[in-house]
Amino acid sequence: MADKHKNFIGGQWVEPSSGDYFENRNPAKQSDLIGLFPRSTREDLDRAVRAAKSGFEEWRRTPAPARGDVLRKVGDLLSTRKDEIARAATREMGKTLTETRGDVQEGIDTAYYAGVEGRRLFGHTVPSELRNKWAMSYRRPIGVCGLITPFNFPLAIPTWKMFPALVCGNSVIIKPAEDTPHTVQLLVEVLEEAGIPAGVVNLVHGLGEEIGAAIVEHPDIPVISFTGSTDIGSVIGQTCGRMHKRLSLEMGGKNAQIVMDDAELDLALEGVLWGAFGTTGQRCTATSRLLLHDRIHDQLLERLIDRAKKLKLGYGLDEGVDVGPLIHEASRTKVQEYVEIGKTEGTLVLGGEIPTGSGLDDGFFFQPTIFTDIKPGSRMATEEIFGPVLSVIRFSDLDEAIHINNEVKYGLSSSLYTRDTVSAFRAFQEMDNGITYVNAPTIGAEAHLPFGGVKQTGNGHREGGWEVYEFYSETKVCYLDYSGKLQRAQIDNYDASPY
């Protein structure tokens, strides 16, 4: 009998009010039932909101350095449970253990960084334009934050959202992807052990169209942070705009790796293999376009096909596995549909099929797939697939490559392989992305740097780094006039000389 898991509301593990649950199964082995998780309702959410509002009143008055101390303890506890959590994440998400260990390490790094920021929530003290008047600002918390997270980084992305929100003094309600609820449950258990006060962190499981939508629409949740598809993000944006909510969106990508004719080809080859097929291509930062200069196109393509066909598919906990499954059947069906589109727009040179045998029949596996002769502006060159499918595009000079990179509606990550410093700095300046790497693949994020994109990848806010702390706090400006008389700033200064 599978375990029935619970929500975490007001410091207690509680069953859903409806008594309904959904299954969580291993995408590499569908016969492996991980557990049953609450199919929560609006009644459960209302309970969580009441708890979060109560927890906020205590937590907001806790000194920020003390809030940071709790997050530092969370980092310590995550470190002791690193391998356990990584294995659980691989079981329910599918990517290799090497990758989920990195996922957990990113959460640890984020915890320690957030702990330090508890002593660095700086405001500003500035000179007033009037005599005997003091002027300053400080940052203060907002309230209850609704956090909706995806399946592909089931530990890291929840920490990107949760830890800065907590250090800033907010309470949170988190709804993890229904495909990866267990990893977030383990994270909340760590927060509970670290001593987070009751009501400050609340975990509400459920389906996106049900509990996710309810979080976005709830009038007592003023802050929403969402990572997921651009289509769903657009709907959330409309709701939050109408309700005047603060909103952070991190959405799709169609990232390009550009390889110039002066590039170190061995390095570029390793970069595209990792960028395109790591996490089975299920990353918003995945390398889904490979732009090759005319002079090295055929040579690097031949080497890429040879290496990619040797990638081993399988369960991420098994030795020697390079590529795990897709997250569910709908995702695999979408990849199959794009393979058919690719056959009309280019040349299929590798993969394109569902593999069988060797323990693969019980999971949602798909072969690493490469198309050549893809034209800029085509569907394969512009639409996000979110799977192990790479489109190869030929170009003749850097100007053309930058144009191809910029023509898509997304703008998350980009990559340029070159030995030329001038080309590198041109890429930094002219490539229309939130992130540009030189001589590294399109993926990867460091906890102390902002992460996010432009255009339809997001709405201008960033996760990670120092900028996210501005999203989860408000600026309060304070004046103290000790002149003993009425002063009217610009009115009194109207006739004053500027010298």
Side-chain angles (χ1 to χ4, degrees), residues 59-72 115 118 121 141 166-170:
W59 188 242
R60 68 192 290 261
R61 292 176 172 83
T62 302
R67 300 194 296 254
D69 289 342
V70 174
L71 270 296
R72 190 172 65 249
L121 293 179
L166 293 174
V167 167
C168 287
N170 305 287

Side-chain angles (χ1 to χ4, degrees), residues 189-332:
E189 288 175 3
V190 168
L191 282 153
E192 182 185 21
E193 185 179 352
I196 201 79
V200 176
V201 172
N202 301 275
L203 168 63
V204 182
H205 293 290
L207 307 186
E209 61 270 23
E210 295 174 356
I211 204 67
I215 288 172
V216 172
E217 295 165 0
H218 201 289
D220 291 331
I221 303 178
V223 180
I224 300 291
S225 180
F226 168 80
T227 297
S229 73
T230 296
D231 289 343
I232 294 176
S234 296
V235 174
I236 291 173
Q238 293 173 16
T239 302
C240 290
R242 174 170 44 83
M243 298 183 73
H244 308 289
K245 297 191 177 196
R246 181 171 293 205
L247 172 65
S248 174
L249 295 173
E250 203 287 293
M251 302 180 291
K254 189 67 176 178
N255 312 289
Q257 175 178 316
I258 300 169
V259 184
M260 298 298 293
D261 56 338
D262 66 340
E264 172 53 63
L265 296 188
D266 289 341
L267 185 63
L269 177 59
E270 296 299 329
V272 70
L273 285 167
W274 174 238
F277 304 122
T279 321
T280 321
Q282 298 173 114
R283 291 186 291 227
C284 54
T285 57
T287 303
S288 55
R289 295 183 291 163
L290 176 62
L291 279 55
L292 299 180
H293 193 283
D294 281 328
R295 294 192 185 95
I296 52 89
H297 178 279
D298 295 349
Q299 176 189 355
L300 188 56
L301 178 60
E302 181 180 358
R303 294 179 61 188
L304 172 61
I305 294 171
D306 181 64
R307 284 287 301 279
K309 69 174 59 173
K310 296 175 182 177
L311 294 172
K312 181 180 178 180
L313 277 66
Y315 184 24
L317 292 180
D318 292 342
E319 284 292 326
V321 169
D322 300 301
V323 181
L326 292 161
I327 190 63
H328 45 51
E329 183 62 38
S331 181
R332 186 165 67 177

Side-chain angles (χ1 to χ4, degrees), residues 446-498:
E446 298 188 27
H448 58 291
L449 286 166
F451 176 89
V454 300
K455 298 188 285 190
Q456 292 189 29
T457 287
N459 65 338
H461 294 293
R462 293 292 185 265
E463 310 242 50
W466 55 92
E467 290 191 19
V468 71
Y469 293 87
E470 297 177 2
F471 172 75
Y472 286 111
S473 60
E474 291 180 321
T475 299
K476 177 71 175 286
V477 176
C478 304
Y479 298 103
L480 174 61
D481 191 322
Y482 54 97
S483 67
K485 63 181 180 180
L486 173 65
Q487 299 193 90
R488 299 174 296 173
Q490 289 83 6
I491 294 175
D492 291 349
N493 287 335
Y494 180 78
D495 293 322
S497 169

Side-chain angles (χ1 to χ4, degrees), residues 78 81-108 151-156 180 183 274 278-279 283 315-317:
L78 284 174
R81 299 180 63 181
K82 182 190 301 187
D83 199 61
E84 170 206 346
I85 296 174
R87 288 180 175 277
T90 290
R91 185 184 175 200
E92 73 169 353
M93 186 268 156
K95 61 185 177 183
T96 66
L97 183 59
T98 298
E99 291 192 66
T100 53
R101 282 172 172 162
D103 196 326
V104 178
Q105 184 60 53
E106 194 163 330
I108 295 168
F151 72 87
N152 54 346
F153 288 86
L155 193 285
T180 53
T183 303
W274 174 238
T279 321
R283 291 186 291 227
Y315 184 24
L317 292 180

Side-chain angles (χ1 to χ4, degrees), residues 381-402:
T382 59
E383 296 180 8
E384 185 177 42
I385 301 172
F386 225 64
V389 180
L390 178 67
S391 296
V392 181
I393 302 171
R394 185 189 293 264
F395 71 92
S396 58
D397 58 38
L398 184 58
D399 286 335
E400 182 184 6
I402 292 174

